[in-house]
Amino acid sequence: MIKYPHSAESEHDDDREPKAPATPRAHTNDADTAIIYEDDLDLKNHLLVAMPNVLDPNFSHGVTYICEHNDEGAMGITINRPLDVTLGDILDHMKITCTNPAIRNRPVFMGGPVAMERGFVLHTPHGGWESTLEVTDEIGLTTSKDILQALADGAGPARAVIALGYSGWSAGQIETEIAENTWLTVDATPELIFDQPVDERWTAAARTLGIDMNLVSGEAGHA
């Protein structure tokens, strides 16, 4: 497991590893307040795009790639919130030698407010790393140190987002937030995740739905 010291803590932080996906379903015992879905909602390999009314500093104007979504909740990596940390800082902490400035200066993102001492590499293609969750046929999420060594050697995956921490939701929470117009849901593509300039990912993801975020009020509904 990639680990990095960080001062940020979350009340939701724990030592559990994300679990494998299962069939998602929202549950509630109160029939009067239940949100009922005709079909199961599976957001794996989707982007959650924060609506303009989201004020939480962890997610405001955020774009989060959902890596897992099952009946126990969801987890993802936010891909557009760079930290004041570089890959060089991570490599130095892990005692991995790298002198190439282009590699050392690669940005590191806040993947989410949970477990910010943990490192995650979202990447394509998969590769033969020790600990990888294969999200799709193209995209993987790796937490083992060997991928950092490969990146330092200039032999890592072709495209990668390096992050500290992840974003997590309990069972039914993400479905409720979508119903409350907190998020737009967008089909993810490698181009949106890895190639789009970081400061344009929020508007570009929404634009795939034909939505101009500059014209959307905080009261608008989700698509």
Side-chain angles (χ1 to χ4, degrees), residues 197-212:
V198 173
D199 59 356
E200 298 176 9
R201 288 176 183 174
W202 185 64
T203 54
R207 196 161 52 241
T208 66
L209 300 175
I211 296 172
D212 184 345

Side-chain angles (χ1 to χ4, degrees), residues 49-52 184 202-203 206-207 211-217:
V49 183
M51 291 293 288
L184 294 170
W202 185 64
T203 54
R207 196 161 52 241
I211 296 172
D212 184 345
M213 280 301 206
N214 296 314
L215 302 178
V216 176
S217 77

Side-chain angles (χ1 to χ4, degrees), residues 43 46-54 62-64 66 177-178 181-187 202-203 205-213 216 220-223:
L43 294 176
H46 283 69
L47 295 171
L48 289 189
V49 183
M51 291 293 288
N53 61 321
V54 175
V63 180
T64 301
I66 301 300
E177 291 179 0
I178 289 172
N181 301 321
T182 300
W183 309 102
L184 294 170
T185 59
V186 175
D187 289 338
W202 185 64
T203 54
R207 196 161 52 241
T208 66
L209 300 175
I211 296 172
D212 184 345
M213 280 301 206
V216 176
H222 69 275

Side-chain angles (χ1 to χ4, degrees), residues 14-160:
D14 57 37
D15 293 327
R16 294 173 296 174
E17 295 292 338
K19 293 186 168 74
T23 303
R25 186 176 299 278
H27 296 285
T28 180
N29 293 324
D30 188 342
D32 293 331
T33 61
I35 298 171
I36 305 299
Y37 300 96
E38 295 297 328
D39 299 302
D40 289 334
L41 182 64
D42 186 356
L43 294 176
K44 182 180 176 182
N45 192 38
H46 283 69
L47 295 171
L48 289 189
V49 183
M51 291 293 288
N53 61 321
V54 175
L55 302 179
D56 183 334
N58 292 315
F59 296 104
S60 177
H61 291 74
V63 180
T64 301
Y65 179 68
I66 301 300
C67 302
E68 292 187 300
H69 186 198
N70 57 44
D71 57 0
E72 296 186 4
M75 70 84 62
I77 302 294
T78 299
I79 62 171
N80 69 329
R81 300 186 69 84
L83 293 165
D84 188 21
V85 175
T86 66
L87 178 56
D89 296 325
I90 302 290
L91 296 175
D92 291 345
H93 171 71
M94 302 295 292
K95 301 186 179 345
I96 296 173
T97 301
C98 177
T99 59
N100 185 331
I103 295 173
R104 291 187 59 84
N105 291 332
R106 289 187 65 166
V108 174
F109 295 82
M110 189 190 86
V114 183
M116 286 194 66
E117 78 284 358
R118 296 185 184 180
F120 298 83
V121 182
L122 186 66
H123 58 89
T124 184
H126 288 154
W129 318 113
E130 291 180 7
S131 180
T132 299
L133 170 68
E134 295 187 358
V135 184
T136 72
D137 291 341
E138 296 181 86
I139 298 171
L141 181 68
T142 294
T143 58
S144 49
K145 181 179 177 181
D146 55 347
I147 196 169
L148 293 183
Q149 183 67 64
L151 288 168
D153 295 340
R159 293 184 281 184

